[in-house]
Amino acid sequence: MTLRGGLRDVVRHDDDGSPPAPPDDGPRATAATRARRWWPIAVGVVAVLAVTQATLATRDRSHLSRIQARPGVAHTTDAAVTEKWRRDVPGSIELAQSATVVDGRWVGAAVAADGTQTLQAIDPETGATTWSTVLAGPEPAPTGALLPTPTCGLDRPTGTASDSPALLCLVLAGYATPGGSASSTSPEPSSARIVVVDPATGAVTAERAAAPSSVLAVDAEVAYVAEVTADGFGLVTATDPRTGASRWTFRTPQPLQVTPGQPLHVRLSAADGRVLMGSKQGPAWLLSSDGSVEREITDVAGAALVAPRAGVLALQTWSGSSSPHLNVLASDSGSTAGPTIQGDVVTPTIDDGSAPGLIFTGGSHLTAWDAASGAERWSVSVSSAARNLVLLDGRLYQSTEIGLRALDATSGALLWQKRVLIPAGSSHLPTVVSDGRAVFLLETASTRRLVAFDPTDGSRMWASMLPEDTTDLAVLGGRIVALQRSYFHGDAVSALG
């Protein structure tokens, strides 16, 4: 059929039932065609970017979760942080600093003004005491000094689902000052007990007598008890934490040394299956997990087992006024050969495992050492003794007399330094804490504020007001706590959140 204008009807033999193509209108049609061709690609690019961003966000969350699972790291903290609760009873700071986190509860020892010794469990959400167990009653005679808190250690069996954790506490009592009240020596106990407590309820499940000179250390499901014998030798016994059954004993081959005019004390520390015991001011013996002697340490004024990094064990010794020496111990207890490093070890309060193979010492310089060879890697001067370090993502964060600085952990290079208002001439530098996203420091010159810094460049993220009597910070069970020491108003602890 011929249509008007000379056009003819055309029958398409490849018609598949799809709608007819629009007429070709020149450039506009070409642009539309291109748009139709490219929009699936644009959608694909957007989808890929979205997936990539989601993957990176998931990776960042996973990384933050791993950091916050490490000891000493706080839960996520933001600018809305405020005081959740406050405890101002005597011994609150000592309880917080000695507390062990067991099944979400803060369990720690405290000593009241009258000498009463207690073990308490604190609800971290409210600050309420969930249980309190008296370990020793008031001291009948005034001592003129604050008594030490009981030494407690957690026994948490591994590989046995039926056994629950238990707390072992060495309780010293019956204090008296040798030589009378006019003497300059510290009060000494006349009795001692080892008390086993259920941390869930506070119930005493067992107790046994110990020598008044006893010292307690709990490690790897073993309770080590050291004492001074009647003839002045040192004796350490490895015992079952729950029953007190003896596994082995070691007696020093010579009497313990003592400073003239001072009581005779024994030194004890245990870590990773090794035990160190000896005189407070003289020789010591390093023992393996079966009680055999690995090394006798002589010509020293003191010795201790320390863990400069996770998975690294070292023997630190002092000789007179010289700098301490640090001897890295091999993981195999059959061999104690290892490099010797000079300096007072500084263990990072937070350690994410970055900068592996390095250990740090403080003093007039902050120094990094190769743990395998003992070679010095780098050293930077510090005006105040380095005591508090935080190691995250290859950076060392340290408080200074003017604020906060970040160093490259592998080279010691200064990455950034920021000023924080701290009273001039302060002998105590504030403690650095972190939640893995920010680094926090207490500002104290005018008002008390918690200041958050970006870990990468040190820029201030935010600052939040704290109680006016705050003197330092700590982290317990993932929560930042503000410590308040006051001669006039007494000590207190505030939980932030």
Side-chain angles (χ1 to χ4, degrees):
M1 175 181 178
T2 302
L3 302 178
R4 184 181 302 173
L7 299 178
R8 293 178 178 275
D9 237 346
V10 177
V11 179
R12 295 180 58 188
H13 296 285
D14 59 346
D15 184 14
D16 58 357
S18 59
D24 187 355
D25 289 331
R28 293 171 57 187
T30 301
T33 302
R34 290 174 178 170
R36 286 195 301 271
R37 291 175 180 172
W38 285 103
W39 77 261
I41 299 176
V43 170
V45 170
V46 171
V48 169
L49 291 175
V51 170
T52 301
Q53 185 175 7
T55 301
L56 292 175
T58 301
R59 187 179 302 170
D60 289 343
R61 287 194 298 269
S62 177
H63 176 70
L64 181 61
S65 297
R66 288 195 299 270
I67 293 297
Q68 292 185 343
R70 290 187 173 270
V73 182
H75 299 319
T76 300
T77 305
D78 55 32
V81 64
T82 186
E83 182 183 55
K84 292 298 184 181
W85 52 260
R86 178 184 177 98
R87 286 176 63 94
D88 55 7
V89 296
S92 293
I93 290 182
E94 287 71 25
L95 187 148
Q97 292 178 330
S98 68
T100 300
V101 180
V102 187
D103 297 332
R105 292 178 293 271
W106 300 354
V107 183
V111 180
D114 63 358
T116 300
Q117 303 175 53
T118 59
L119 192 65
Q120 303 177 30
I122 307 301
D123 183 340
E125 295 300 322
T126 65
T129 301
T130 57
W131 57 257
S132 179
T133 300
V134 176
L135 301 177
E139 286 295 317
T143 61
L146 182 66
L147 300 179
T149 57
T151 300
C152 298
L154 181 67
D155 175 49
R156 191 189 296 273
T158 57
T160 55
S162 59
D163 287 338
S164 58
L167 274 168
L168 278 75
C169 294
L170 175 65
V171 184
L172 306 176
Y175 280 87
T177 303
S181 58
S183 174
S184 61
T185 58
S186 300
E188 293 290 321
S190 61
S191 66
R193 296 157 34 243
I194 294 177
V195 181
V196 184
V197 178
D198 182 348
T201 64
V204 175
T205 60
E207 62 178 283
R208 49 191 180 267
S213 60
S214 292
V215 181
L216 172 70
V218 180
D219 174 61
E221 301 179 40
V222 181
Y224 300 96
V225 183
E227 63 181 83
V228 180
T229 63
D231 53 358
F233 286 74
L235 180 70
V236 60
T237 305
T239 68
D240 181 282
R242 314 295 177 104
T243 66
S246 175
R247 298 180 180 179
W248 54 258
T249 61
F250 170 79
R251 177 183 167 97
T252 60
Q254 63 193 57
L256 300 177
Q257 293 184 7
V258 60
T259 301
Q262 295 295 321
L264 187 57
H265 290 151
V266 64
R267 180 187 299 272
L268 175 70
S269 55
D272 295 341
R274 255 89 167 240
V275 183
L276 182 74
M277 70 93 63
S279 306
K280 278 279 191 178
Q281 301 90 11
W285 290 264
L286 180 65
L287 311 176
S288 63
S289 58
D290 62 1
S292 58
V293 177
E294 290 188 22
R295 182 187 301 183
E296 181 177 359
I297 302 102
T298 59
D299 298 326
V300 296
L305 283 175
V306 295
R309 295 289 302 273
V312 179
L313 189 63
L315 175 66
Q316 185 155 341
T317 59
W318 298 264
S319 298
S321 59
S322 62
S323 298
H325 284 78
L326 192 70
N327 183 212
V328 179
L329 302 177
S331 57
D332 177 12
S333 61
S335 171
T336 58
T340 298
I341 294 166
Q342 187 169 4
D344 196 359
V345 65
V346 181
T347 301
T349 53
I350 297 175
D351 187 347
D352 69 348
S354 58
L358 292 183
I359 58 178
F360 308 98
T361 60
S364 60
H365 286 74
L366 174 63
T367 306
W369 306 85
D370 188 303
S373 66
E376 180 182 313
R377 289 284 189 86
W378 54 261
S379 183
V380 296
S381 61
V382 292
S383 57
S384 299
R387 286 297 173 201
N388 171 231
L389 292 177
V390 166
L391 176 58
L392 287 174
D393 294 324
R395 305 182 192 94
L396 279 173
Y397 303 97
Q398 177 193 20
S399 59
T400 69
E401 69 282 357
I402 66 169
L404 179 68
R405 71 176 178 181
L407 305 175
D408 185 297
T410 58
S411 68
L414 178 64
L415 301 177
W416 52 260
Q417 182 164 261
K418 300 298 177 180
R419 183 173 294 276
V420 176
L421 296 177
I422 301 174
S426 176
S427 59
H428 174 75
L429 296 179
T431 300
V432 183
V433 298
S434 175
D435 65 352
R437 300 188 314 164
V439 182
F440 305 109
L441 201 66
L442 173 65
E443 191 170 62
T444 59
S446 52
T447 58
R448 301 301 199 263
R449 299 195 301 172
L450 180 67
V451 184
F453 296 89
D454 187 294
T456 57
D457 60 11
S459 58
R460 286 200 178 206
M461 301 171 63
W462 49 263
S464 184
M465 300 295 293
L466 291 180
E468 277 303 306
D469 51 356
T470 300
T471 54
D472 205 358
L473 303 173
V475 175
L476 182 58
R479 185 183 292 273
I480 299 178
V481 295
L483 308 180
Q484 294 114 23
R485 292 190 182 274
S486 173
Y487 177 81
F488 298 101
H489 304 292
D491 297 344
V493 170
S494 296
L496 309 180

